[in-house]
Amino acid sequence: MRFARIVFGLLLALIGLLVTVAGAVAAFWLVGPDNTLDTGEQSLASKGLAVMTAPDLINRHGPKLHVTASAGKPVFVGIGQDIDVSSYLGAAQYTRVVRFDLPARFDTQEMTGRAVPLTAPGRLDWWTVKAAGAGKQSIAWPIVDGRYDVVVMNADGSPGVDAKVTFGIELEGAFGTSLLVLGGGLVLLFAGLLLMFARRRNRPLPPVPVMSPVQATTPVMPYTPPASKQSTQVRRSAGLATALLLVTTGCVAVPTKNVSHQVTTKPAVTLADGQAVVKKYNEINNQANLTRDAKLSETIEGDPTLAQTRAGYQIDRKLDAAGKDKVKPFTYTDPEIGAPQFSAYPMRFVVASGISTDPQSRQLGVWERQDAGSPWLLTHSVYPPLAMKLPPMAGLRMPVKADMAKLPVLPQTAGTNLAAYLSGGAKAKQAALFVPSPGAVNLLTKRAKAKVEDAKETYISTVVDTFQLSGQPLTFIAANGEALVFLTLTEQYRQNIEPGSNAYWTNGAVTAFSSMVKYTQSLHQDYLHQVALAIPRTGKPRILSIDGQLVGAGGS
């Protein structure tokens, strides 16, 4: 039995020694008091514009990821969803980290593409976490389920990245667990040594009775303890060691494996980011209006809104060359954001807001981003009266086939019918298909009056006013099932000239596009209208607003 105790004690001591060394190494070399296991500083370089991790490298969530980067020039380090990062770097040359082996082996793949500078990454709003500047830049992020990428770039978006990068994983309680493992190892070690070297005290034998000569002939047998009591100490030591190991190794749970491996969707913007976009628009738009700077407007607007803005500036410069008629600054107030989910770019969101200079109206606009590296641009913008009921912004989504099937009329058909209604006037048969807005009524009244007045001119034979649908309608589905539809209509107001006469534009806004040029067949004014419709599940589409701008004039 002594031999068995020594062998078991030796085995227990060896296990304890190994556990002790492992706990000490983990506590004081690998993890440390900050609970972070890191790779140490590693050199990562790219001839392209970035070093980016493949989304499947971050395949578990729960712990906190730490990334620190430094370079000879200002550096950017950020974490973003793969849907954004892939769009941002999609056509660029960059280096992708495709494999990582502990402690610090990186396998990379060079991705071909353009090496022209990108938009400075720090200016983009979709990063989950980011840091940029000179010297060391650090970020920390509790890893969540999904497809995310770590990106290291030059802060100005230029090619040629050469950075020192450290990756670390913070495991809550890891340092304490390592200390417990260390303690457990010491217990095993001392328990093994105790079994090996402790001497067992022999129990004193009972007194030998005085025997008779007859009894002396019977052999005397030594005392043997019961077998069940022999191994009690060994079993108790082994059980204690096992319990300690189970408790200590269970203190830190294994991070949960990601399940969102497929392409995921995300809202176009968060509420805060959408409000920030509107705030930036307010600032830049007022600057552009003050100087009539169409180039500045290009940074915040896209067509058809940009086309209307350009035309308006051109007219203003013609009619007010001295620049005395300043546009009063205004802002969009209290924006309500409707942000549908998208799985790819382009992305869009809708905003309904007040107008600081017009409390009786609201602004309803669509902001669009073509790719992750481009700015948000206001593409559609209309101004429905405050009394007009708008579809709710919360829960706004892009339509699917089932949504379209529930509508009484498709948006494309509604746009075509609306163009016919406006072309034919208030008495057109298509007028019965819509609930008109005050703006639509005013427009038709104004055009009918203009036709009568223009027909009185001796040099004009007839007047024709034609509206046409331009492009595809942009449709969203509200939480109440209504379709919110944005349309663009073109209008040509045409005055046919009497044979033998000629005519030309001599004054007014039209002279910004054609002035003192004589025409013998016709004169025309060209308008661009933006329209918003609400198509309910039942009933007629409501014209929420129609807002036009003269964008051209001429003749033939």
Side-chain angles (χ1 to χ4, degrees):
M1 297 304 296
R2 176 176 174 78
F3 176 75
R5 190 171 69 251
I6 292 174
V7 171
F8 185 76
L10 178 61
L11 180 62
L12 204 61
L14 288 175
I15 294 174
L17 180 62
L18 292 175
V19 173
T20 299
V21 172
V25 169
F28 302 109
W29 184 53
L30 292 178
V31 179
D34 60 357
N35 294 320
T36 301
L37 173 66
D38 65 51
T39 63
E41 196 172 72
Q42 304 295 321
S43 294
L44 289 177
S46 175
K47 294 180 180 179
L49 292 119
V51 177
M52 161 192 165
T53 61
D56 55 355
L57 284 186
I58 306 177
N59 62 357
R60 292 186 181 273
H61 63 276
K64 184 176 288 186
L65 175 65
H66 293 263
V67 185
T68 299
S70 61
K73 51 185 176 180
V75 67
F76 170 88
V77 56
I79 297 172
Q81 292 192 47
D82 184 63
I83 185 176
D84 297 310
V85 176
S86 296
S87 174
Y88 179 52
L89 297 176
Q93 178 185 356
Y94 64 95
T95 299
R96 172 177 284 183
V97 179
V98 295
R99 182 178 177 182
F100 168 66
D101 293 325
L102 290 173
R105 177 188 170 188
F106 297 92
D107 291 340
T108 60
Q109 178 183 8
E110 295 300 320
M111 310 300 291
T112 59
R114 301 192 303 267
V116 296
L118 296 175
T119 302
R123 292 166 50 189
L124 301 172
D125 57 13
W126 44 258
W127 296 101
T128 304
V129 60
K130 63 182 178 180
K136 284 190 175 182
Q137 300 296 317
S138 298
I139 57 175
W141 174 58
I143 304 173
V144 298
D145 190 9
R147 295 169 61 85
Y148 288 85
D149 308 321
V150 180
V151 178
V152 177
M153 300 178 62
N154 293 327
D156 60 359
S158 62
V161 180
D162 187 5
K164 303 291 185 181
V165 183
T166 301
F167 292 89
I169 294 291
E170 180 182 338
L171 300 170
E172 185 177 353
F175 181 66
T177 298
S178 300
L179 292 179
L180 288 174
V181 172
L182 173 60
L186 290 173
V187 170
L188 292 177
L189 177 60
F190 286 123
L193 293 176
L194 182 64
L195 287 175
M196 289 171 57
F197 297 110
R199 293 179 178 275
R200 192 179 66 168
R201 290 187 304 171
N202 293 326
R203 294 189 179 185
L205 295 175
V208 179
V210 179
M211 296 180 293
S212 65
V214 176
Q215 292 172 323
T217 60
T218 303
V220 178
M221 301 297 294
Y223 172 76
T224 303
S228 60
K229 294 184 179 180
Q230 289 180 358
S231 58
T232 299
Q233 185 176 4
V234 175
R235 289 201 304 269
R236 183 175 297 168
S237 299
L240 178 61
T242 303
L244 282 172
L245 287 174
L246 287 174
V247 171
T248 55
T249 55
C251 286
V252 176
V254 176
T256 307
K257 196 171 182 63
N258 286 351
V259 296
S260 300
H261 298 301
Q262 303 301 318
V263 176
T264 55
T265 61
K266 56 164 283 188
V269 287
T270 64
L271 176 61
D273 287 341
Q275 292 174 338
V277 170
V278 176
K279 180 180 179 181
K280 179 181 178 182
Y281 178 87
N282 287 335
E283 296 170 354
I284 297 179
N285 182 56
N286 282 322
Q287 296 176 23
N289 288 340
L290 185 64
T291 58
R292 298 166 182 164
D293 187 348
K295 288 293 184 182
L296 189 57
S297 293
E298 290 175 6
T299 65
I300 55 171
E301 292 182 348
D303 290 334
T305 297
L306 180 60
Q308 291 184 329
T309 297
R310 285 174 173 153
Y313 289 165
Q314 185 172 342
I315 293 170
D316 289 344
R317 285 193 294 269
K318 173 68 176 180
L319 301 182
D320 180 34
K324 295 181 179 180
D325 187 13
K326 302 294 184 182
V327 176
K328 184 179 179 180
F330 69 93
T331 58
Y332 297 142
T333 61
D334 302 320
E336 299 177 25
I337 310 297
Q341 297 272 338
F342 289 91
S343 61
Y345 284 86
M347 294 186 181
R348 302 178 180 93
F349 69 95
V350 182
V351 177
S353 59
I355 307 169
S356 61
T357 56
D358 185 3
Q360 299 305 314
S361 298
R362 291 181 63 78
Q363 190 264 354
L364 186 61
V366 179
W367 266 264
E368 180 175 314
R369 173 179 265 167
Q370 283 296 318
D371 57 66
S374 60
W376 285 107
L377 302 178
L378 178 62
T379 56
H380 297 73
S381 183
V382 295
Y383 298 87
L386 187 63
M388 187 68 65
K389 183 181 178 181
L390 304 181
M393 294 296 103
L396 204 67
R397 68 180 190 273
M398 301 306 294
V400 297
K401 185 178 292 186
D403 294 318
M404 305 299 273
K406 295 176 182 178
L407 298 177
V409 59
L410 293 176
Q412 182 78 24
T413 303
T416 302
N417 289 337
L418 179 61
Y421 164 33
L422 297 175
S423 298
K427 296 182 179 181
K429 64 179 182 179
Q430 291 84 0
L433 302 177
F434 296 91
V435 178
S437 67
V441 173
N442 290 338
L443 174 63
L444 292 177
T445 301
K446 182 179 178 180
R447 292 293 187 267
K449 182 178 179 180
K451 287 181 180 179
V452 172
E453 294 297 325
D454 290 343
K456 294 178 180 179
E457 298 290 342
T458 57
Y459 62 91
I460 295 178
S461 60
T462 57
V463 179
V464 180
D465 192 20
T466 305
F467 289 77
Q468 289 187 332
L469 178 65
S470 177
Q472 295 294 318
L474 181 57
T475 305
F476 302 87
I477 301 297
N480 62 2
E482 283 189 332
L484 175 59
V485 182
F486 293 87
L487 305 170
T488 303
L489 300 177
T490 60
E491 177 195 5
Q492 186 174 81
Y493 184 85
R494 184 184 179 93
Q495 303 165 331
N496 295 314
I497 300 173
E498 287 281 3
S501 300
N502 58 57
Y504 50 89
W505 301 111
T506 59
N507 56 66
V510 287
T511 58
F513 309 100
S514 176
S515 179
M516 307 303 290
V517 177
K518 294 183 178 182
Y519 302 102
T520 59
Q521 294 182 337
S522 67
L523 296 175
H524 61 80
Q525 302 172 46
D526 303 317
Y527 294 86
L528 186 62
H529 297 273
Q530 294 195 59
V531 184
L533 301 177
I535 304 178
R537 293 282 185 87
T538 58
K540 302 177 182 179
R542 305 192 310 275
I543 303 175
L544 300 177
S545 185
I546 178 167
D547 298 87
Q549 169 66 51
L550 180 69
V551 296
S556 60

